[in-house]
Amino acid sequence: MTQPAVHGQVPQDAPQDTPRFPLPGSAPDDSSGRPVHDAGVRATSWRMAAVIAAAGIPVGLLWWLLAPSGLNLLSGNPELRSGGNTEGWLPRDLVLAGLFLLAGCIAGAVASGSKHNPPSGRDVVLAVGAGALGALAAWATGVVCGLWWGTPEDTSASASIAFSLRSVAVLAIWPAATALAIFLNTVFTTPEAEPGA
């Protein structure tokens, strides 16, 4: 039986805590009162990062197919098919730089989220880090393709005769393009007004 409430006292069978409603993107509170992050959102971020990093393998294969001293499909010049021709060394790096720029822009667009769900700081770090891993994977894939399917050449005069990357700074293009694409998307995307606001 409930006892009548005395002034200043709470009835014994009344709920002691008011219900807490979780914020968007978080699960119900844990016992300490702190919001628990939604595991689904975190898993999606990691999946996105894994896809961006794994994209380095097809990018590296494309590099070998298109670039001079590889299969050289882009120029079609038979003189550039040999790694001994120094005129093909710069275009070989530029082909990879262009592929990295394209891959970074696509990765940045994917990681930018939407108007309703902008990327968190963790999403940005994951996307940029995955871009760096993707660049390394593309470089390694291209070199391996050159070793497996390329024409064996004497590299005693210069290591650049083999299918490789002369300028290691090119590897920074993919993560930099990813970060720039996320930044530009955040700056130029206007959030939609809340209904009833």
Side-chain angles (χ1 to χ4, degrees):
M1 181 170 181
T2 0
Q3 297 178 355
V6 183
H7 182 66
Q9 292 182 345
V10 180
Q12 292 178 356
D13 55 350
Q16 298 297 321
D17 287 336
T18 58
R20 291 184 215 142
F21 298 100
L23 296 172
S26 66
D29 293 354
D30 62 8
S31 58
S32 65
R34 292 185 301 252
V36 179
H37 292 292
D38 186 5
V41 173
R42 186 177 300 149
T44 303
S45 298
W46 280 104
R47 272 194 297 269
M48 176 197 64
V51 168
I52 292 172
I57 295 171
V59 169
L61 182 59
L62 270 175
W63 176 41
W64 184 81
L65 290 172
L66 299 174
S69 72
L71 205 53
N72 194 27
L73 295 178
L74 196 59
S75 76
N77 186 350
E79 293 179 3
L80 296 179
R81 186 78 192 270
S82 169
N85 187 347
T86 58
E87 292 180 7
W89 294 355
L90 178 61
R92 184 175 62 200
D93 284 7
L94 291 177
V95 168
L96 186 61
L99 290 171
F100 281 174
L101 186 61
L102 178 63
C105 290
I106 293 171
V110 169
S112 292
S114 64
K115 292 180 181 181
H116 301 293
N117 189 19
S120 66
R122 182 174 54 86
D123 293 338
V124 174
V125 170
L126 279 174
V128 172
L133 289 176
L136 290 171
W139 181 23
T141 301
V143 170
V144 168
C145 288
L147 290 173
W148 285 355
W149 301 315
T151 308
E153 300 197 51
D154 181 16
T155 57
S156 57
S158 172
S160 297
I161 292 174
F163 190 85
S164 61
L165 179 65
R166 285 176 54 84
S167 176
V168 182
V170 170
L171 296 173
I173 293 176
W174 187 336
T178 301
L180 183 62
I182 294 171
F183 171 74
L184 291 176
N185 191 57
T186 304
V187 168
F188 292 111
T189 299
T190 54
E192 292 183 355
E194 293 288 331

